[in-house]
Amino acid sequence: MTRQIRPLVAALCAAIALFSTVRTSGQQAASLDPSLYGGLHWRMIGPFRGGRVDAVSGVPGRPYEFYFGHVNGGVWKTINAGRTWLPVFDGQPVASIGALAVAPSNPDIVYVGTGESTLRDSNGYGNGVYKTTDAGKTWTHLGLDPTHHIGRIAVDPKNADIAYVAAIGDLYAAKPDRGVYKTTDGGKTWTKSLFKDNNTGAVDLAIDPGNSRIVYASLWATRRTPWYTYAPSNSPGGGIYKSTDAGATWTQLTSGLPTEGFGRSGIAIAPSNPRRVYAVIDAKEGGLYRSDDAGATWT
């Protein structure tokens, strides 16, 4: 018998012996009085699926403090630059996180949008927006339950009560709960600031750091059908929009931007020069685009 075969035979013999023992034990257990183990209850001990991370934020003025949101694992926080992390959202009824924003004017205020934004072959949906005013110790549900998936939250740099929410919406059905929402009272009430149609949601937002009345938004028309699960489809309707009156009216930006197959896009404003805006775009002619005139033209 070769050296390779001996361990296999030994393992097989051990498995047969273990099976015989378990079978005999099972027969004995069947005759036990149920009252002996009636106080025992099943409990989940893991493993717990965290999945991807799609929301991360540092904290202004606190260089060692960070938050991140898991697509199915809640919100986590570190106060020692990532050396250790603590879950701070486990008491809430939803674990899928799509967006997270710390208020620049008050680092104890954090807005969280539920429902992951990385819409892949497996995904979890949420039930709206949450907020903490004590750096994650307690949370308040702020509504917007039907939004299902939230791609971004942007908070006014100087006023923590003003915030915008980019709602992707229901992944499987055409519904009106999509677009950009705005609050001016810290989430007590919401108004729909930008809405195109029942198939087109919002996925990203950016507020001009020097003028909070200027806001950029990315719209994304996507739908996942039950028979085609990976990747999401890009339907007509997506694009980049700009408001110069704090979300009262919006204008679509088109000069130099792709048109065919316009899918998900992300926006960033240069803090050193707010007239320079970057956009990364999924499209037939997609890629990284730049504007040096506050979105009027792009290359």
Side-chain angles (χ1 to χ4, degrees):
M1 185 178 295
T2 65
R3 293 182 179 180
Q4 289 80 5
I5 298 298
R6 288 195 187 97
L8 295 176
V9 174
L12 180 60
C13 292
I16 293 173
L18 178 61
F19 174 77
S20 300
T21 302
V22 171
R23 185 178 181 185
T24 302
S25 300
Q27 292 172 346
Q28 293 174 346
S31 61
L32 293 176
D33 183 352
S35 64
L36 295 176
Y37 53 87
L40 299 177
H41 300 282
W42 290 102
R43 63 187 178 91
M44 178 65 175
I45 60 172
F48 299 97
R49 180 184 178 275
R52 306 169 295 280
V53 170
D54 61 356
V56 180
S57 179
V59 179
R62 301 174 184 174
Y64 300 110
E65 193 168 321
F66 296 85
Y67 295 87
F68 74 77
H70 262 299
V71 298
N72 272 307
V75 178
W76 294 71
K77 178 182 179 179
T78 179
I79 57 174
N80 54 17
R83 192 173 177 189
T84 58
W85 293 86
L86 290 175
V88 296
F89 204 72
D90 283 5
Q92 308 312 312
V94 64
S96 182
I97 307 300
L100 190 153
V102 179
S105 61
N106 187 339
D108 287 336
I109 295 179
V110 183
Y111 289 85
V112 167
T114 62
E116 65 172 289
S117 63
T118 52
L119 305 179
R120 298 166 49 137
D121 55 335
S122 61
N123 65 86
Y125 66 90
N127 67 343
V129 178
Y130 289 77
K131 175 186 175 183
T132 178
T133 58
D134 52 18
K137 295 183 179 67
T138 60
W139 297 88
T140 301
H141 184 224
L142 302 181
L144 298 184
D145 299 52
T147 55
H148 276 223
H149 298 274
I150 294 176
R152 185 76 68 188
I153 297 178
V155 185
D156 186 291
K158 297 180 180 179
N159 188 343
D161 285 336
I162 299 177
Y164 299 83
V165 169
I168 301 172
D170 193 314
L171 187 56
Y172 298 99
K175 292 184 179 180
D177 307 295
R178 308 179 189 275
V180 176
Y181 292 82
K182 180 184 179 181
T183 181
T184 58
D185 54 14
K188 295 177 183 177
T189 59
W190 297 91
T191 57
K192 189 174 288 187
S193 176
L194 174 60
F195 175 75
K196 185 169 185 178
D197 56 52
N198 286 0
N199 295 297
T200 307
V203 67
D204 203 5
L205 292 162
I207 299 177
D208 188 320
N211 181 359
S212 60
R213 293 181 61 81
I214 298 176
V215 186
Y216 296 85
S218 294
L219 296 192
W220 184 25
T222 186
R223 184 64 42 75
R224 186 183 298 284
T225 55
W227 57 88
Y228 184 67
T229 60
Y230 190 91
S233 61
N234 296 330
S235 302
I240 296 178
Y241 288 71
K242 178 182 179 181
S243 173
T244 58
D245 52 14
T249 60
W250 295 83
T251 301
Q252 185 174 2
L253 306 178
T254 58
S255 181
L257 291 177
T259 56
E260 188 174 353
F262 198 109
R264 180 171 186 161
S265 59
I267 311 171
I269 302 172
S272 59
N273 177 12
R275 290 185 60 80
R276 174 165 291 181
V277 186
Y278 293 91
V280 58
I281 302 171
D282 174 20
K284 183 177 181 180
E285 299 295 332
L288 180 62
Y289 286 75
R290 189 184 85 189
S291 172
D292 292 321
D293 51 15
T297 59
W298 299 80
T299 55

